[in-house]
Amino acid sequence: MAVVRDHHTKRTHSLSTTSSSRTSILLLSLLCTVSLYLAFSLFKSPSLAATSQSLSQNQQPCDYSNGKWIYDLTVRSPSRYDNTCKEIYKGWNCIGSNKSNAIEIVKWRWKPNQCDLPPFDPVAFLKLYRNTNIGFVGDSLNRNMFVSLFCTLKRVSGEVRKWRPVGADRGFTFLQYNLTIAYHRTNLLARYGSWSASDKNGKLESLGYKEGYRVDVDIPDGTWAEAPTFHDILILNTGHWWWAPSKFHPVKSPMLFFEKGTPLVPPISSDAGLDMVLGHMTSFVERKVRPGTVLFFRTQSPRHFEGGDWDQGGSCQRLQPLMPQQVEELFALKNNGTNVETRLVNQHLYKALRSSSFQLLDITHMSEYRADAHPSTSGGKKHDDCMHWCLPGLTDVWNDLLVAQLKKVKTRS
């Protein structure tokens, strides 16, 4: 009996232990589940909120053209290249010519209102655009931008060969990456040249015209006519020469526009001629480019002549960016000031590009503030250079904007 009692006691103890163990396991499992739930609940909301916020930010494209300039003491000057870059035209080398604020110019950082403009990473750019051809087509302000890009890339990739695509004024290939950048000089985009009255009594002669400049609105300048078939990325500009009375004087040397080889009679104004040229040239590019080519049209670069135009004693002696009110005083169309063509040209661009496949590279407003960033008297000319930009300088930021917009294109594609 004792043995039986002992056996029963052991069995009862065993069952009790097993039951207790199961209960403990269940309690432990329940605690773990509750803990995990609580932990998940704690981290879930912020994570989803952050993700939602991130998606919302990504869905809202940043407007890089509106913002303000912030003086950044952390910026090393010169920041991305120095004045020893040999492509810098002497008149733009403000450090080399000892312009008083040359070192300070690049310490002003552009801060868009809704986001940040990412800094240029030249190594990443070279890798990302391996086997790519980039062409700048336009006047000397596009050369200003081209030189900035070249000097930025040259600092991190020294294996460079001079090589010019057909018609280009200058060009380089970064051999390690097979990346070519080139500048095609053209003032009006359209072909133009001197015109003189002939013995034949043509339409213009009969109206009393004796000389001027023939502008063929439907024929691209030969310097860049082949560029659309070669380049994968094109950045076009025009504007400064359309309001250049020293070159195209309305009486002494007027612009005379031709279409399909025939003069437009009665003669049209330069404004109307610009509209026709923009229409023809953008259509020409769209017909000629290869599939996938990325097309940009850069908006007008502002001049900052004060007290008169370049040939009237105008100067640009400011050492800091303008305030918003000063910008409007200088550039508002209602004031019809010396630099009025800046926003006038843009109005023509907006209209012409509305239905095209070109993207606007809008550098105008950010540049209107930078009256401090021109070569001024250090440019080596008989007058202040208040049109071009010091290098290193503002056009470095234009290239930051170019890279940011190219990234958007890649993301969409």
Side-chain angles (χ1 to χ4, degrees), residues 191-197 210-215 247-248 253-254 256 258:
R191 185 179 73 184
Y192 79 95
S194 298
W195 176 89
S196 296
K210 296 181 179 180
E211 59 183 1
Y213 284 91
R214 170 175 173 162
V215 182
K247 177 74 173 178
F248 305 114
S253 53
L256 302 169
F258 284 65

Side-chain angles (χ1 to χ4, degrees), residues 17-307:
T17 303
T18 302
S19 177
S20 175
S21 177
R22 286 175 179 171
T23 302
S24 298
I25 292 170
L26 285 170
L27 285 170
L28 184 62
S29 298
L30 183 61
L31 284 169
C32 288
T33 303
V34 171
S35 299
L36 286 170
Y37 177 79
L38 288 171
F40 182 72
S41 297
L42 287 170
F43 288 102
K44 179 181 179 183
S45 296
S47 176
L48 287 176
T51 303
S52 175
Q53 184 180 5
S54 175
L55 286 171
S56 175
Q57 289 174 348
N58 289 336
Q59 288 170 353
Q60 296 177 355
C62 178
D63 180 4
Y64 293 116
S65 61
N66 284 311
K68 59 185 176 182
W69 289 97
I70 298 172
Y71 189 77
D72 191 342
L73 289 170
T74 66
V75 174
R76 184 173 62 86
S77 181
S79 55
R80 61 178 84 190
Y81 59 89
D82 59 34
N83 64 302
T84 62
C85 179
K86 293 182 179 179
E87 267 302 290
I88 300 177
Y89 173 66
K90 184 179 179 182
W92 307 339
N93 195 330
C94 296
I95 296 175
S97 58
N98 297 315
K99 187 172 190 279
S100 62
N101 69 326
I103 298 295
E104 298 292 301
I105 287 173
V106 299
K107 291 187 176 181
W108 291 92
R109 177 170 57 84
W110 179 248
K111 174 67 176 72
N113 291 332
Q114 306 298 329
C115 59
D116 289 309
L117 181 59
F120 196 125
D121 183 340
V123 175
F125 183 88
L126 287 163
K127 291 178 179 177
L128 189 60
Y129 294 100
R130 187 186 299 271
N131 303 319
T132 300
N133 303 320
I134 302 174
F136 292 83
V137 175
D139 57 35
S140 56
L141 275 302
N142 250 15
R143 179 183 171 186
N144 216 166
M145 186 178 178
F146 159 80
V147 173
S148 163
L149 179 61
F150 170 77
C151 293
T152 300
L153 300 179
K154 176 70 163 54
R155 187 149 191 188
V156 298
S157 182
E159 194 179 353
V160 181
R161 183 183 68 189
K162 284 187 178 182
W163 187 79
R164 293 184 297 170
V166 175
D169 183 69
R170 55 215 320 109
F172 301 91
T173 298
F174 293 86
L175 298 176
Q176 184 180 351
Y177 302 92
N178 191 33
L179 168 67
T180 294
I181 65 172
Y183 165 61
H184 300 257
R185 178 175 176 79
T186 175
N187 295 329
L188 306 179
L189 293 181
R191 185 179 73 184
Y192 79 95
S194 298
W195 176 89
S196 296
S198 64
D199 295 333
K200 300 176 183 178
N201 191 23
K203 293 180 180 180
L204 292 174
E205 288 88 345
S206 65
L207 294 173
Y209 287 96
K210 296 181 179 180
E211 59 183 1
Y213 284 91
R214 170 175 173 162
V215 182
D216 287 279
V217 297
D218 53 344
I219 302 177
D221 197 342
T223 57
W224 71 277
E226 297 301 318
T229 65
F230 176 78
H231 293 294
D232 305 293
I233 299 168
L234 272 175
I235 304 100
L236 273 65
N237 100 289
T238 192
H240 289 285
W241 285 75
W242 292 86
W243 274 264
S246 60
K247 177 74 173 178
F248 305 114
H249 192 277
V251 177
K252 298 177 182 177
S253 53
M255 296 173 110
L256 302 169
F257 296 98
F258 284 65
E259 188 176 25
K260 296 180 180 178
T262 303
L264 296 174
V265 176
I268 60 175
S269 66
S270 58
D271 295 55
L274 174 59
D275 287 335
M276 293 190 72
V277 167
L278 289 173
H280 279 294
M281 295 304 105
T282 53
S283 296
F284 167 79
V285 171
E286 290 172 329
R287 290 195 309 270
K288 295 277 283 185
V289 294
R290 296 173 294 178
T293 301
V294 182
L295 302 175
F296 289 102
F297 212 111
R298 179 178 62 71
T299 60
Q300 185 73 347
S301 172
R303 308 182 309 153
H304 285 89
F305 287 99
E306 296 184 70

Side-chain angles (χ1 to χ4, degrees), residues 99 302-320 322 330-331 338-339 370-379 381-388:
K99 187 172 190 279
R303 308 182 309 153
H304 285 89
F305 287 99
E306 296 184 70
D309 214 325
W310 67 271
D311 58 347
Q312 300 166 347
S315 64
C316 45
Q317 299 294 320
R318 296 179 186 264
L319 301 179
Q320 291 187 343
L322 299 172
L330 274 180
F331 295 103
T338 303
N339 310 295
R370 298 306 305 272
D372 61 309
H374 297 286
S376 187
T377 54
S378 71
K381 297 184 177 181
K382 294 180 180 179
H383 59 83
D384 276 23
D385 185 351
C386 305
M387 180 169 71
H388 300 100

